[in-house]
Amino acid sequence: MKMNRYQADERGYYGEFGGAFIPEMLYPNTEELRQNYLRIMGEPDFQEEFRQLLRDYVGRPTPLYFAKRLSEKFKARIYLKREDLCHTGAHKVNNTIGQILMAKKLGKSRIIAETGAGQHGVATATVCALMGMECIVYMGEVDIARQAPNVARMKMLGAEVRPARSGSRTLKDATNEAIRDWINNPVNTHYIIGSVVGPHPYPDMVARFQAVISEEIKWQLKEKEGKEDPDYVVACVGGGSNAAGTYYHYLDNEQVGIIAVEAAGKGVDSGESAATSALGKVGIIHGSKTLLMQTGDGQITEPYSISAGLDYPGVGPMHAHLYKSGRADFIAITDDEAMAAGLMVSQLEGIIPAIETSHAFAIFDHRTFKPDDIIVINLSGRGDKDLQTYIDYFKL
Amino acid sequence: MKMNRYQADERGYYGEFGGAFIPEMLYPNTEELRQNYLRIMGEPDFQEEFRQLLRDYVGRPTPLYFAKRLSEKFKARIYLKREDLCHTGAHKVNNTIGQILMAKKLGKSRIIAETGAGQHGVATATVCALMGMECIVYMGEVDIARQAPNVARMKMLGAEVRPARSGSRTLKDATNEAIRDWINNPVNTHYIIGSVVGPHPYPDMVARFQAVISEEIKWQLKEKEGKEDPDYVVACVGGGSNAAGTYYHYLDNEQVGIIAVEAAGKGVDSGESAATSALGKVGIIHGSKTLLMQTGDGQITEPYSISAGLDYPGVGPMHAHLYKSGRADFIAITDDEAMAAGLMVSQLEGIIPAIETSHAFAIFDHRTFKPDDIIVINLSGRGDKDLQTYIDYFKL
Amino acid sequence: MNRIQEKMRSGHKLLSIYFTAGYPKLEDTVPVIEALDEAGVDMIEIGLPFSDPLADGPTIQASSTAALKNGMHTELLFRQLKGIREKTDIPLIIMGYFNPVLQYGVEAFCKKCREVGIDGLILPDLPLDVYQEEYEPLFKANGLLNVFLITPQTPNERIRKIDEGSDGFIYMVSSASTTGARDGFGPEQRAYFERIHSMGLKNPQIVGFGISNADTFAQATTHAHGAIIGSAFIKMLTEDGKTGIAPFIRSIRKSP
Amino acid sequence: MNRIQEKMRSGHKLLSIYFTAGYPKLEDTVPVIEALDEAGVDMIEIGLPFSDPLADGPTIQASSTAALKNGMHTELLFRQLKGIREKTDIPLIIMGYFNPVLQYGVEAFCKKCREVGIDGLILPDLPLDVYQEEYEPLFKANGLLNVFLITPQTPNERIRKIDEGSDGFIYMVSSASTTGARDGFGPEQRAYFERIHSMGLKNPQIVGFGISNADTFAQATTHAHGAIIGSAFIKMLTEDGKTGIAPFIRSIRKSP
Ligand SMILES: Cc1ncc(COP(=O)(O)O)c(C=O)c1O
Ligand SMILES: Cc1ncc(COP(=O)(O)O)c(C=O)c1O
């Protein structure tokens, strides 16, 4: 077995995917990052501050919780990795803590970010408040409407939320706007991308910051089950950052099955979907070669999902590679399936998941497991931001 | 120094406060609890399940976070006990975990609760979902309107939210309704009270469940500062449960200053206030003798605070005793002061506190501290439930 | 001998009526008492309204809220009752929550009761042990009987203790329920009535909660010495006013 | 020799215009080219519209969205351009994002370009190294010059590398900014223009971004060989239509 088959190579490629397809205007910014990120991340004082903030500020380690009632229902040993308990309510903050420290090391004073569900925007606004940095968050107009609580949170935290009014007015368009801002502010600004997308070195850097998730799963599972390796790790995939973190330390251990859950929206073939692996072809989005939903003509398609955080037409290059290589099992879950799963988890375990996460709980109608299979599902975020959507959907 | 001067005695009295002033209809229920609670809490399997759920489900220990920017601003060593990171977003769940296990031990199948801010209701609905128990939460109509997100959460969790339509239609009235329900359902129902109020043994039992807060502070502070005892422990006081938990292990150590922060509403003397220590006289509310806001005629006054969780005309008997004995320093904070403090903490530390908690951050205009004073403030809950109030107030 | 104790000796089944002082109108307290007396009830409980009547159902709760809005308060009640003993000899009990009494001052309250001619108190949230430790001498000194409640859940042992500590009657709550009219009593209640009866308590028992008409009155008093009507009476008073009092009492009294 | 290279040899300051294919109307592509040619511009960049033009400002972005709505797509552009070389000899460059090219097939795309008579490509998000590793032979085989951008932030070392790898001209982005009309150039930009000039690159430099009128054109071309107008032209086209083309070009050409 060759090691590191599923990690980025030096040039930021995962198999045929990845790289840095960026306008020259962005070259200095990404180059500065590329040349420094591994060195900075390796510095003891960086690691110390990163770890200390993850512990004292974010609340890590997050628990690995044995979900008794879910396990009984689906006849398997189901563990939940509780990223919903992170400060700000999702895994996103692992990455923003890392990147804000990176930005400080690089001498930046201004932070920009894009956001879909608003979780990454909140996580970015949070670390900017913590470090006293200026913060501008781009967010699609549609998402601003459907994720109002997170917009409010960003404002409370002192961030400016700028609406993206082009295209589908969702995550992809917010990302375009953020990139434009970065082009216009190449010297003092660091762009905190919120997932394992974008040009090299972002996918690798973000994956490394999120890797703390599987780092913890390993020793936590060892404590609980006497072994580090579950039979399956499961995560929802929007851009793919929570999934990357969940899989990271298991990527090259083929004993561990990898399940990636995408948003089928109203159905993979309905024309209103965000199931990138099923619907995508190789293409370039936001500086990265990856699987991409697009027209035959290469225009990027407007995706659809009830969950703002999965409503993205691409997927991180790591995941494109996991799909193409067959390393991961991709499952597409519809809006309806996800919503039902979200309600089920709420009422069985007392945990209201983010709608993104709810997709990951809907796999049990699609795959069967053995009673002694150990399944770790990453509970990437809490559903507070989605209450209105749940309420409207279920007419509660 | 006499030990346990500030704990409940066997009959549930803290000095002159406490006891069980209940209608005979409630006698069997509270008596069953009184006779069993200490024994059950002492059982190893109870402790094990309680501790395991606190760890794996609630996410304990919650961090003790050194707030660098707050410390710089106010020139003291300020630590925040991060109860906002608990599952469901506040300290309330420590108690509901304990009580649901207690209810199981007592063979109950139906749970009722009252709620003001909705945090206790959510925490109760959560543990009921976890244990598969029926759950009914009483909530004042006014609070239902101003804490909509928490109402939605309770419904998602499968609880029934019943509006209390009498009196000021807030917490006190919801408590009346819950007690009525308990009277009507004396056999199969356990009433999970949400604070250190109510008849004996509730104040003592809830305080013991919340005591995990100061239990953790002690060893966490030891790790960080080399000593277990801060100079001050600070908490907001509604009924007083987060405060009781924060003070618990320091009560009889008079080296540690105790600061209790109450809601002055529009001003202690404005007629719209919930500052019980300043405005209350000895009286009986919800089965307990304590300080109580009331007319000269003994009618309970309708309190007012912008924060639903502090909008209560009484205070737990432990706190009445801490006030009367001079052990604690009580500070009353207005709506405006609390809101400003909430915004300050959001923008300085990247943490949006519950408005209840925000009151505790407003003490710095009222007291001065020495630069090497170690102050632990209990960050009792997160502000997600209060976003609309913040937004409206600051016109964000 | 106290008027209550005297009344308890009478052979027939006692009908006791609860109403809220100052309801429907502030000045109705005495007229209602007079009308009840005239209609032939045996005993009257005068409700001292409280802002947070947590042991009461919606009907009595609403009447309390209304009475407080009307301006009823403790001192005023005593003022209204001044001279009542020139008008009637019917046993009068004040029923209320402990907090207003505490604020008035328990001693002052007891003295006033004696002054105006009150015979007893029902304070549901003043428990037996606190009463005995702190207040019994005050009550006794002022000739006031304190009435305690028992419910279907009260253990026999505790019933004996309450019986021991009482010397007027025992208020027997018919079922685990805040007050409010019911349709009738089921087998459980009847078993409970029988169980208590067979205990042979020294105090007579008056059943309360859930009595609304001749039927339920008859059922409740099969074994017990009498019964109290509260919610049903308040409901009638709300709908028909004071002129409804006599017909209402007649309807209860007529054998079913 | 390629038409672009030939044009670069001419002594005067070159005026190059960018417009979006299929804008304002779907069939406007060729008429706009003809009008620009007639008005005497030196070079034309034909924008292949893209759904997510992240290096473009709002004006060009809006024109791309409109063109796509009009129905513009890659194959259609080639169809429209078929026969263009019978009408004009002006250097024609297609400017677009890499993804549509990738979907068309890079080889097929290059071949089509040759067929219709395209002289070069500007694909801002196809970086130099990927181009050199994977696509250079294809471009060369089809007689296409690939144009790279430099910005004020591009390090000298990299500028040399880009100069090395280019053989038409270097697209010199005037300032760190997505495209969009500016008011004029400041001291920073002028220093940058001078710095690049003094590097003595082998390729001529054409300045782009922020040129909107005779003034900024003159400033941009003090040292450089020419300049590209994009947003300002599109804006004019949106407001005045094709009849505005000749006057617009005249207004740029006249010395300030
Ligand atoms: C809770 C949660 N889970 C998952 C996602 C999807 O992002 P990613 O695939 O990068 O984890 C989001 C995005 O906002 C999110 O908020
Ligand atoms: C976050 C938070 N803090 C404090 C309180 C006040 O309650 P207590 O005084 O019992 O801690 C509440 C009540 O809901 C709350 O939600």
Side-chain angles (χ1 to χ4, degrees), chain D residues 4 8 14-22 29 32-33 36 41-49 56 60 77 81 85 90-96 118-124 147 149 169-172 179 206-209 211 226-231 233-234 237:
Chain D
I4 296 171
M8 291 298 145
L14 305 176
L15 172 59
S16 183
I17 295 290
Y18 167 94
F19 80 103
T20 304
T29 315
V32 168
I33 293 173
L36 284 169
V41 310
D42 297 299
M43 193 159 67
I44 297 175
E45 276 124 46
I46 306 164
L48 176 60
D56 290 300
I60 294 183
L77 176 59
L81 291 177
R85 283 305 171 206
I90 191 167
L92 292 173
I93 296 174
I94 289 182
M95 182 159 184
I118 293 295
D119 304 295
L121 294 173
I122 305 178
L123 302 169
V147 177
L149 278 56
F169 63 91
I170 285 174
Y171 190 135
M172 199 173 141
T179 59
I206 307 286
V207 178
F209 289 47
I211 295 136
I228 304 172
I229 300 181
S231 293
F233 179 75
I234 301 275
L237 205 58

Side-chain angles (χ1 to χ4, degrees), chain A residues 81-98:
Chain A
K81 180 61 175 163
R82 297 291 304 277
E83 295 299 297
D84 62 310
L85 293 180
C86 288
H87 180 47
T88 71
H91 67 290
K92 295 280 179 188
V93 73
N94 302 323
N95 170 43
T96 61
I97 292 273

